[in-house]
Amino acid sequence: MNLSTRNTTTDPIVRHAIGRWAAGAVVLWVTVFLGLPITVITAGNVAMDDVTRVLTQQSTWRLVWFSTWQAVLSVLVTFVISGPVTWLIGRHQFHGRRVLRAISTVSFLLPSVVVATAFLAVLPRSLHYTVFAVIVAHAYFNIAVVVRVVGARLELLEPQLAGVARTLGASPIVVMRTITWPLVRGAVSSAASVMFLYCFTSFAVVRVLGGPRRSTLESDIALRAFGIGDVGGATVLALVQLAYICVVVGIIRLLMRSDIAYVRAAPPVLPALPHQCRSIASVIGSVTVVFVVTPLVALFWRSLHVRDRMSLEAWRSLFDTALAESLRASARTALVAGVLGTLLCCIATLAVVHLRRGGRAIDALTLLTLAMSPVTVGLGLIVTFDSGWFDWRDRWWFVAIAHTLVAFPLAVRVLVPAWRTTPVGLHHAAAVLGANGWRRLVDVDLRRMRPALVAALGLIIAVSLGEFGAASMLSRDGAETMPVAINRLLSRTGDVVRAQAFAMASLLVVVCTAALIVVESAMKRGDHAAGR
Amino acid sequence: MLQVVDLTVQRGSRRVLEGVSLSVQSGERLAVHGPSGCGKTTLLHAIAGLVDIQHGVIRIDERDISHVPAHQRDIGLVFQDNQLFPHFDVVDNVAYSLRVRGMAKEERRSVAQEWLSRFSLSGLEHRRITELSGGEAKRVALARTMAGAPRVVLLDEPLSGLDDSLHEQLLGDLREVFDRLGTTVVHVTHDRAEGAALCQRTMELTHPDR
């Protein structure tokens, strides 16, 4: 079966025209809601004085230093925690492997504010507002990244390569050094860089678990812009952060150039877990499950306890107080972001698959939006759209616009591969059976793309539900999204409000896990339909 | 001399090999035939030390190596699907066994170069593995195994999937190399003519449950 890149229409002129229109639409959207705001905050709010003031302050470099070392330490701790389970899942077949993988990746789509809240629920008070709490919470998130990125590469490694090396005289350590490590090194650096960027720009975790004395660049941008009204200083910090990220991304790309492209069509059959390794595997599996599940259980448990006794008070208050408005705000924001984002994704996908160089440029543009910190996106939007007809700061859908920018690059990476794996033969078969271009689009493309579209929609909704950085900038009192409301509740004292925060976070866990299940099953159906 | 006595290998509850014995004199070449799934590949992997054995003894020159780790057995194995290291070029694949023994870079490159020329691979030293044809990849796999000068060479269907002329040519090359070096060989193949052309003796392996 020919699985080469295929196109909706066989006419290259029409194809190119569709691609150009699609690319134009994406560029317009990104320019208006990202390019313009960045230009406005850069040009309109940064005076030379601000630059000098911020860059000469010792506190700025302390922020950079703290952001860097906590991110490096978080990455190292993540590898220590997730290494054994990744090796177990990636190299061996055993009963319960799929369940263990599902549990270890459950944190993938959990909102950062929820994870931070869960660690408040599970850690003793003496560890609240410490660097330890921040780093462990970062590691909790990042387990999923290591299992997904490094585990997937390990699965693709041919188990017999190690056997060959051993028959050629290599000891197990030499096999690891000369064969296994060079073949997984690229995945390890890729995972490390994703985790580093995530931890470096961490906002919710640092804000909830770090306490008032600890800030990353990201959380200080928010504090300056909205806490003390220093928009100029916040903008300079945002630019410092952007420059830092660009340098890191550049270094990562240089490192990745030496990655070995070792791609197999399908994973080889993994060897069964050796008998003598079963007990150590049970320990690794159990520790991982306990590490992932305990904070979530603690979150739910603490939501049921008010003033040291069991109570449903916190849960009831979610639905009959002002907090209910947060649920409604989150739901409608996520729905609008989902619909808008999926539409934008489809358009971006058309541009990527129909244009050659232009497609690569659109792909890079979506990556750029991914690299922008949500707080900076929110700051830019609020500064830009603030007057006359374009004063959208009070509009509830403004948050949804920000969420499409944050989430659609991820969803494009779901749609493009699905579109590209539609066999060209199916298209030709439909054509010779009399289907015109539209019928082929409906009967072949859309039918095959349906699981990927559902997955993209679910992904954007899940990201929107949990997004905290941009929402904390754009949400207004009375229409806060759930993560913003959770943060506000946690900043107040009292057993009841804390239990309410735990209850709301528990609700987000349930909704986001449901969205994740929808995404996973849709992607599985898509893989099945593509014959993978 | 390679000796296998009453070898049994089990995978889960299934016996893949049961009570298999064979003996190959130094410099002798033995062809092993048998239907699909009778355990031919498992037999080679057991001799090479890549699978655990449940019962039996494997000896080389009277020394029991049944529980010696694979990398200390000095037995070379050519896999059916070559299993070339994808992150090395041709010459580094061939020189791998010399590298793990600590041979200096220049020296091992020169030895590898010799083996490349014996298998008509000169000029392909720095070719990537993904750029080789099926026949070239087979030759690299054979050169890689031979470069380490193992005491016994195990061949797992080394010529399968090649067209007739390439098959004949490579068979001739192998015979010449083995004759010159006096290599002890166990050659698993389903092609009886190939076995007879390369080996002095043949052996039939049957399913353990028959």
Side-chain angles (χ1 to χ4, degrees), chain B residues 33-52:
Chain B
H33 301 302
S36 296
C38 71
K40 299 189 293 289
T41 296
T42 306
L43 172 64
L44 296 190
H45 285 206
I47 296 171
L50 298 178
V51 295
D52 290 336

Side-chain angles (χ1 to χ4, degrees), chain A residues 158 164 166-168 170 178, chain B residues 71 75 83 86-87 96-97 144:
Chain A
E158 176 58 69
V164 180
R166 297 198 66 199
T167 63
L168 291 167
T178 58
Chain B
H71 64 283
I75 293 177
Q83 298 292 351
H87 53 305
Y96 184 77
S97 60
R144 181 177 65 177

